[in-house]
Amino acid sequence: MVINVEYNQLDPLLRATGHPDGDSNCETGYSPYPGNINQLILELGPYIEELKKTHGAISEFVNPKYTDSTKTAFKSSTRLECMMQDYPKTLPPSAKVGFTVMDTWLAYAPVKNNPEDAAKVPKGNPYHSATSGEMAIYRANSLILRKAGAQIADPVVHTFNGQEVEVWPRVTWSPRWGLTFKSVKEKVHGNSSVSQRSALVINGQNVFLEGLSLDGTLVVNAADEAEVKLTGHIQNKGWTIQHVDYKDASEKEEIRIRGFKLEKIEQLEVNYTEPGNHSLSA
């Protein structure tokens, strides 16, 4: 059966099936079993037919959490639970169920820890904070552009709110520019490059990198009917990153939990509202 296994069930499952050490770290220092983030993709037709049979009922269980190893007192109230990832258990043996494994940088960057708790995370472990979450977006977009053929500068390391993170070029784009790697790759041509201190914002469907060399900040806004080619060398003072302490009450909360803010010193912002072919070159 291809199925996600809940963390609290993995160790006893392994021990009961010939693995006496259970879920122990291997020579890499990590569990040899891939983690799952419970992203389920269902084909609606078979799913509806299955719901007609099961009425959406999933087997239930309890997962008590105790205050200590004596298991004499509960840490919190124990409740009846069921797991959506148990859905395959109701499917017939003929059902097609598969899974996809992705690198962490592409698929997983939760934001759930406040700055104070994140700073206590041992070095080398993920912070899962507003700081690391935003930096993960820049990293992912930079790596995607690099894999598409652009020259993207390596990151530098900075510490924000006690968290040491990689700072990549600040690259963002709207979903209509690129939802898949294929669509991104189709829009990156020539010998395009982005320096580490740069910020690139693409808000448009048909914007093409055609040998763009960016050292600074470029913001491109384009209507869907406009086709824009970005070429040449663009350089300006750009946006700088300013450190902000999470205890600094003079800043807004969304800035404090980030641990930094962008000082927009200089930028080139272009707007293409008319249909047709356009070119930005310097």
Side-chain angles (χ1 to χ4, degrees):
M1 179 183 293
V2 177
I3 191 170
N4 288 351
V5 179
E6 188 72 357
Y7 70 95
N8 65 303
Q9 297 179 353
L10 179 59
D11 189 74
L13 173 66
L14 289 170
R15 293 180 187 276
T17 52
H19 302 272
D21 293 333
D23 183 21
S24 299
N25 292 345
C26 64
E27 62 275 4
T28 66
Y30 298 96
S31 170
Y33 304 97
N36 76 79
I37 56 175
N38 261 2
Q39 300 295 314
L40 308 183
I41 302 174
L42 307 173
E43 188 175 359
L44 283 180
Y47 181 53
I48 291 172
E49 292 302 313
E50 193 63 26
L51 289 179
K52 289 178 181 177
K53 292 187 295 183
T54 65
H55 302 288
I58 298 289
S59 58
E60 298 166 325
F61 69 99
V62 293
N63 179 26
K65 293 180 172 60
Y66 302 100
T67 55
D68 53 41
S69 59
T70 63
K71 297 185 177 181
T72 56
F74 291 116
K75 184 178 180 180
S76 58
S77 299
T78 299
R79 62 192 186 279
L80 196 62
E81 301 179 63
C82 65
M83 297 186 293
M84 61 181 182
Q85 62 264 38
D86 278 350
Y87 167 71
K89 290 182 178 179
T90 69
L91 298 176
S94 60
K96 294 181 179 179
V97 181
F99 68 96
T100 301
V101 178
M102 300 182 186
D103 288 340
T104 302
W105 68 264
L106 182 62
Y108 190 59
V111 174
K112 60 183 181 180
N113 289 330
N114 63 49
E116 189 172 4
D117 290 342
K120 298 175 183 176
V121 173
K123 186 177 180 179
N125 291 316
Y127 297 112
H128 292 170
S129 67
T131 305
S132 62
E134 182 168 345
M135 291 301 174
I137 295 295
Y138 302 143
R139 180 190 185 200
N141 290 345
S142 293
L143 288 175
I144 289 170
L145 282 186
R146 181 181 282 183
K147 291 177 181 295
Q151 297 180 34
I152 307 299
D154 289 334
V156 297
V157 175
H158 281 294
T159 300
F160 304 101
N161 282 337
Q163 305 160 59
E164 189 177 277
V165 294
E166 290 184 345
V167 181
W168 289 75
R170 274 66 69 203
V171 177
T172 64
W173 58 73
S174 61
R176 57 200 179 114
W177 187 72
L179 279 174
T180 66
F181 176 70
K182 179 182 178 182
S183 63
V184 171
K185 189 172 177 60
E186 290 173 346
K187 296 171 181 175
V188 178
H189 307 130
N191 192 25
S192 296
S193 64
V194 180
S195 70
Q196 186 280 326
R197 72 179 190 89
S198 293
L200 174 62
V201 181
I202 301 175
N203 182 26
Q205 182 175 335
N206 297 303
V207 179
F208 297 84
L209 275 63
E210 300 272 3
L212 170 71
S213 174
L214 177 62
D215 184 30
T217 295
L218 173 62
V219 180
V220 182
N221 302 303
D224 289 347
E225 298 79 14
E227 182 174 307
V228 181
K229 293 183 178 180
L230 307 177
T231 64
H233 180 65
I234 296 174
Q235 186 174 31
N236 53 52
K237 295 179 181 178
W239 299 347
T240 61
I241 295 178
Q242 304 295 321
H243 287 70
V244 174
D245 190 275
Y246 74 93
K247 297 178 182 178
D248 185 354
S250 66
E251 297 286 355
K252 295 181 179 179
E253 184 178 14
E254 59 265 32
I255 299 298
R256 299 203 309 268
I257 63 174
R258 268 170 120 193
F260 66 91
K261 61 182 179 181
L262 297 176
E263 184 176 350
K264 300 181 178 181
I265 300 174
E266 186 181 11
Q267 67 188 47
L268 174 60
E269 181 169 0
V270 290
N271 300 282
Y272 299 94
T273 58
E274 299 297 324
N277 298 321
H278 306 271
S279 179
L280 171 66
S281 59

